[in-house]
């Protein structure tokens, strides 16, 4: 599959994205949790460059291969904390909103709120939104994993 022609990045867009990343990482969430959220969303959306980047970032933060190989099956494995499970459930529910999926139910939100304060939940929600944003751009332009970054 050939990558589609890309337009030059708009400086204002790049600045805005940098500010969003700064806000996410200022939210007090463990970077590994953010990496897991990013990876799981990217797996759902089939975004190979974001899966690639998510794994690379998680490894830089000390994540193990065992856990990385099991993010896709996080419900069936013993490798994740309750807080991580709550963040992954929130990420999945917020991402899978097509075809009448229920989205984020009160139960999912309450489970996340039991582990994360308001600022942390805001950061996780922004990570979810930004990852979905990048997944869709990468799928549209057919970006390939490892090809440009």
């Amino acid at each position: 599959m050939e990558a589609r022609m890309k337009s030059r990045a708009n400086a204002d867009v790049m600045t805005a994205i940098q500010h969003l990343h700064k806000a996410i990482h200022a939210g007090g969430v463990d970077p590994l949790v953010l990496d897991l959220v990013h990876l799981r969303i990217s797996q759902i959306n089939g975004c190979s460059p974001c899966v690639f980047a998510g794994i690379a970032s998680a490894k830089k933060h000390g994540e193990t291969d065992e856990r990385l190989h099991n993010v896709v099956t996080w419900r069936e494995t013993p490798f994740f904390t309750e807080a991580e499970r709550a963040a992954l459930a929130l990420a999945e529910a917020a991402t899978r909103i097509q075809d009448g999926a229920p989205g984020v139910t009160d139960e999912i939100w309450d489970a996340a709120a039991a582990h994360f304060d308001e600022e942390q939940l805001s950061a996780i929600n922004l990570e979810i939104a930004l990852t979905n944003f990048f997944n869709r751009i990468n799928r549209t332009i057919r970006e390939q994993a490892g090809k440009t970054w």
Side-chain angles (χ1 to χ4, degrees):
M1 175 173 20
E2 189 174 319
R4 295 183 179 176
M5 188 165 191
K6 299 168 190 86
S7 60
R8 283 192 269 172
N10 178 312
D12 291 336
V13 171
M14 296 308 295
T15 299
I17 290 169
Q18 290 171 342
H19 285 291
L20 291 171
H21 277 292
K22 185 177 178 180
I24 290 167
H25 291 285
V29 179
D30 181 342
L32 278 175
V33 171
L34 295 173
D35 288 336
L36 294 173
V37 164
H38 177 85
L39 177 56
R40 184 64 192 120
I41 292 167
S42 299
Q43 289 171 334
I44 291 167
N45 290 328
C47 181
S48 68
C50 287
V51 168
F52 182 86
I55 290 171
S57 179
K59 284 188 168 198
K60 285 180 186 174
H61 290 122
E63 190 56 87
T64 66
D65 286 337
E66 181 177 56
R67 283 172 36 103
L68 288 172
H69 288 297
N70 285 283
V71 169
V72 72
T73 59
W74 63 269
R75 286 181 178 85
E76 292 82 30
T77 63
F79 306 124
F80 302 97
T81 67
E82 289 304 312
E84 290 166 338
R85 290 175 188 282
L88 289 166
L90 180 62
E92 284 189 2
T95 298
R96 290 186 163 151
I97 56 174
Q98 78 293 347
D99 302 327
V104 178
T105 63
D106 289 342
E107 179 182 42
I108 291 168
W109 182 262
D110 291 345
H115 296 282
F116 301 101
D117 64 27
E118 190 173 321
E119 186 175 3
Q120 291 170 320
L121 283 171
S122 293
I124 292 169
N125 280 323
L126 190 52
E127 178 67 27
I128 291 166
L130 194 58
T131 299
N132 275 293
F133 170 79
F134 280 119
N135 289 172
R136 280 149 181 79
I137 289 173
N138 286 330
R139 293 296 304 264
T140 300
I141 64 171
R142 295 185 179 162
E143 185 66 42
Q144 295 177 325
K147 188 158 185 166
T148 58
W149 43 271

